[in-house]
Amino acid sequence: MSDNWDSEIIEALMSLDEDSLMKKVESALSRGISPLEILRKAITKGMQIVGEKYETGEFFLMHLMVIGESVKNVMDKLLLPALQKEGVKESNSEGTIVIGTVEGDIHDIGKNIVASMLLTAGFKVIDLGKDVNCDVFIQKALEYNADIIGVSALLSTTMIGQRKLIEELKKRNIRDKFKILIGGAPTSPAWAEEIGADGYAKDAVEAVKIAKQLLKKR
Ligand code: B12
């Protein structure tokens, strides 16, 4: 692998060849490149390009599905274990976060990265998965006495689920029990403010930073 390890990974990702993607990522890791750098410079960037190609009609749903599956496998088999090996703290004492992707939305690659980074940073993480109903978020947050509820949305049509959760917490008079941290590509600081969330993060590194800040405000 040359110095262009990032463009080589992106190329493998675009070619729909999972074996080649695995090998390129494995090779970058064995050269000492950090899993976080691989995520930022190659995987996330590659996924952005995939999204753009889908928008312009160059890629179809089939591409999103095959590439999404390959990235999920690379994450599960190589990058998440490497991330955890790099930094898992002895005790998960930073705080407890219940995290999931909103109802109607099955995108979970980004949410999984956030969950993993929080775990690595010392949080206790309860990952509810994807397509999570508002009641389940609340039920689990109460059950685990969570400090933070992390809510991911990747579709402009499902972002509304983040607002619904906050409204529901207010209705039940338990809004102040939890800090709400939102994220996902179509969301923004302005959206967080509009719906009354406590924090927004654009990526997993920022998510850890904001989660720590939110705990200090409790
Ligand atoms: C892979 C993919 C899929 C895969 C998902 C596989 C999986 N297991 O996740 C599959 C094929 C299933 C899929 C399906 C669909 N998809 Co899709 N998909 C994508 C794609 C290409 C990449 C998403 C991704 O994984 N990005 C990489 C990760 C690392 O980034 P991320 O998710 O943004 O996460 C980061 C941050 O947002 C943040 N973050 C994320 N979650 C959270 C949570 C918290 C609490 C915090 C703090 C931060 C945070 O941190 C993460 C790490 O840095 C995007 C394009 C894009 N670039 O977003 C389209 C995209 C999201 N999909 C899109 C569409 C339209 C669909 C479909 C409706 C297509 C269809 N016609 O059926 C379906 C929807 C199905 C459903 N009901 O959910 C559109 C959405 C348009 C919109 N604005 O609404 C996009 C933007 C493509 C496009 N350009 O048109 N998709």
Side-chain angles (χ1 to χ4, degrees):
M1 185 175 266
S2 69
D3 279 345
N4 297 328
W5 61 269
D6 47 349
S7 44
E8 285 185 21
I9 291 176
I10 293 175
E11 207 176 291
L13 190 113
M14 297 297 159
S15 67
L16 311 193
D17 180 349
E18 188 175 317
D19 280 350
S20 156
L21 180 63
M22 285 278 182
K23 282 192 189 119
K24 299 282 181 201
V25 171
E26 231 164 8
S27 150
L29 284 171
S30 68
R31 282 180 49 191
I33 296 158
S34 85
L36 202 57
E37 209 180 339
I38 297 174
L39 268 172
R40 283 179 144 179
K41 289 199 177 150
I43 304 291
T44 306
K45 201 167 155 205
M47 289 307 240
Q48 264 158 16
I49 303 172
V50 173
E52 283 158 21
K53 284 188 186 285
Y54 178 73
E55 267 173 17
T56 57
E58 199 180 325
F59 273 4
F60 302 107
L61 187 57
M62 181 275 288
H63 294 93
L64 293 195
M65 288 170 75
V66 175
I67 295 171
E69 189 56 31
S70 300
V71 168
K72 206 170 164 28
N73 291 336
V74 166
M75 292 298 307
D76 291 348
K77 289 184 190 148
L78 299 174
L79 292 173
L80 296 182
L83 263 183
Q84 282 165 20
K85 209 163 101 192
E86 244 190 10
V88 165
K89 299 259 172 71
E90 278 303 303
S91 65
N92 287 344
S93 57
E94 280 284 348
T96 301
I97 179 161
V98 160
I99 190 168
T101 305
V102 288
E103 188 165 20
D105 198 327
I106 59 167
H107 295 86
D108 65 356
I109 295 171
K111 183 267 298 162
N112 292 346
I113 299 173
V114 173
S116 194
M117 288 288 292
L118 287 164
L119 191 71
T120 302
F123 283 82
K124 179 175 178 188
V125 179
I126 291 99
D127 188 345
L128 305 178
K130 57 198 173 191
D131 190 13
V132 181
N133 178 277
C134 182
D135 289 335
V136 176
F137 270 111
I138 298 176
Q139 200 186 312
K140 293 292 173 189
L142 287 169
E143 184 183 329
Y144 287 96
N145 196 17
D147 300 292
I148 302 173
I149 307 180
V151 200
S152 181
L154 259 287
L155 297 170
S156 36
T157 48
T158 56
M159 282 162 72
I160 202 79
Q162 296 174 329
R163 188 202 291 267
K164 190 176 159 201
L165 175 65
I166 294 172
E167 294 306 319
E168 195 54 41
L169 288 168
K170 281 186 193 157
K171 239 192 252 167
R172 298 188 196 187
N173 282 324
I174 49 173
R175 172 64 187 92
D176 293 340
K177 257 182 120 41
F178 313 105
K179 295 288 181 194
I180 307 293
L181 175 60
I182 65 155
T187 64
S188 63
W191 172 246
E193 201 182 326
E194 187 184 326
I195 64 175
D198 300 295
Y200 157 85
K202 69 171 188 323
D203 61 25
V205 174
E206 204 179 281
V208 170
K209 203 174 95 195
I210 306 286
K212 286 184 175 170
Q213 283 171 9
L214 289 178
L215 285 184
K216 283 196 193 121
K217 289 187 189 158
R218 282 175 70 82

